[in-house]
Amino acid sequence: MDPKISNGARLQHEHITDLLVFGFLQNCCNSNFHKELKALGHDLPVPAYPREDYDDELQTDGNRCSHIVLEREETESENQEEIIQNIARQLAQIGDRMDSRIPPRVVNYLAMEFMNVDLSEEDRKDCLSAALEEVMKTYPKDMEKEKTMLMLTMLLAKKVADHTPSLLRGVFHTTVNFINQNLLTYVRNLVRNVRTSDVSSLASH
């Protein structure tokens, strides 16, 4: 079974980050990139929108056995997706409260760098890392460092996409790559440990 076209298997780690960043952007208030985000959502390896289209295909392909297997396997992955979406929603709420504290000059710098077509992906990640390091200095120390880094990384992506919506796709992929490179263990543990009943604890700070 190809995990890129089905949610039946356990979500792969990179797809967890895809859904987390997408869910964060989807839940941020006052964004200017709705059209670009919708287009991006339909292109994700693990679809970020309801799967009715996929269900219809399964119901009409005549393969009843594979459909039964899919239904059995989907429960675990759908539960995991729900946890990821709830985490993203809570982190977006924290981000909305801190949005105004991101210096405009940092956003302008990142937007200009992401508009430079000559930059490599490594260069883009370095620019994001430098911006993150700068804004981390101004944020309260009462929230654990990894959570702050994760939220601010996604908030910077949101701010750049707000500044220039056409950059959304590029900044999304760079943000996912950056998180997978620097915060993947934290994200995996967060998803593993958080249950839908206590996700609200993320917003306690």
Side-chain angles (χ1 to χ4, degrees):
M1 185 184 302
D2 186 347
K4 292 185 178 181
I5 60 174
S6 171
N7 68 329
R10 171 179 285 275
L11 292 176
Q12 305 213 349
H13 299 318
E14 62 269 28
H15 300 337
I16 289 175
T17 313
D18 282 337
L19 287 180
L20 181 63
V21 176
F22 184 89
F24 180 91
L25 295 172
Q26 194 175 37
N27 283 283
C28 284
C29 294
N30 304 318
S31 62
N32 299 320
F33 45 78
H34 296 292
K35 180 179 69 173
E36 292 81 4
L37 190 64
K38 183 175 182 180
L40 174 65
H42 289 298
D43 292 339
L44 289 182
V46 176
Y49 285 100
R51 306 171 188 274
E52 287 83 355
D53 292 341
Y54 295 84
D55 292 340
D56 289 343
E57 290 173 8
L58 284 169
Q59 290 169 7
T60 57
D61 70 1
N63 194 337
R64 297 173 64 89
C65 180
S66 65
H67 192 141
I68 291 171
V69 171
L70 270 177
E71 285 182 337
R72 187 183 307 127
E73 291 178 342
E74 277 179 350
T75 300
E76 179 181 359
S77 130
E78 287 177 351
N79 288 343
Q80 191 177 34
E81 286 185 32
E82 183 180 359
I83 291 172
I84 295 167
Q85 289 163 2
N86 283 331
I87 292 171
R89 188 177 304 113
Q90 293 293 338
L91 289 174
Q93 289 174 4
I94 300 173
D96 286 337
R97 296 199 299 268
M98 298 183 172
D99 184 284
S100 62
R101 298 174 61 179
I102 299 288
R105 60 181 175 77
V106 174
V107 179
N108 292 336
Y109 157 76
L110 274 179
M112 289 296 295
E113 294 298 321
F114 273 86
M115 283 189 279
N116 183 354
V117 296
D118 294 326
L119 279 189
S120 68
E121 178 63 10
E122 283 302 316
D123 290 336
R124 290 169 186 252
K125 285 189 291 185
D126 287 344
C127 291
L128 182 58
S129 178
L132 176 62
E133 184 176 349
E134 181 169 350
V135 297
M136 281 283 291
K137 297 174 183 176
T138 67
Y139 276 78
K141 304 297 187 288
D142 59 344
M143 189 162 70
E144 61 181 312
K145 181 179 179 180
E146 290 84 358
K147 186 197 298 184
T148 305
M149 289 179 63
L150 179 61
M151 185 275 298
L152 287 178
T153 300
M154 296 190 291
L155 183 56
L156 284 169
K158 183 259 185 180
K159 298 288 284 185
V160 172
D162 252 349
H163 181 283
T164 310
S166 62
L167 294 176
L168 173 67
R169 189 175 294 267
V171 76
F172 172 85
H173 289 299
T174 298
T175 301
V176 168
N177 290 337
F178 179 85
I179 291 172
N180 283 340
Q181 181 176 317
N182 297 280
L183 293 164
L184 182 57
T185 299
Y186 175 74
V187 170
R188 288 167 56 187
N189 290 337
L190 189 62
V191 173
R192 183 183 300 116
N193 295 333
V194 171
R195 297 294 180 263
T196 53
S197 60
D198 62 8
V199 171
S200 59
S201 63
L202 280 171
S204 60
H205 295 292

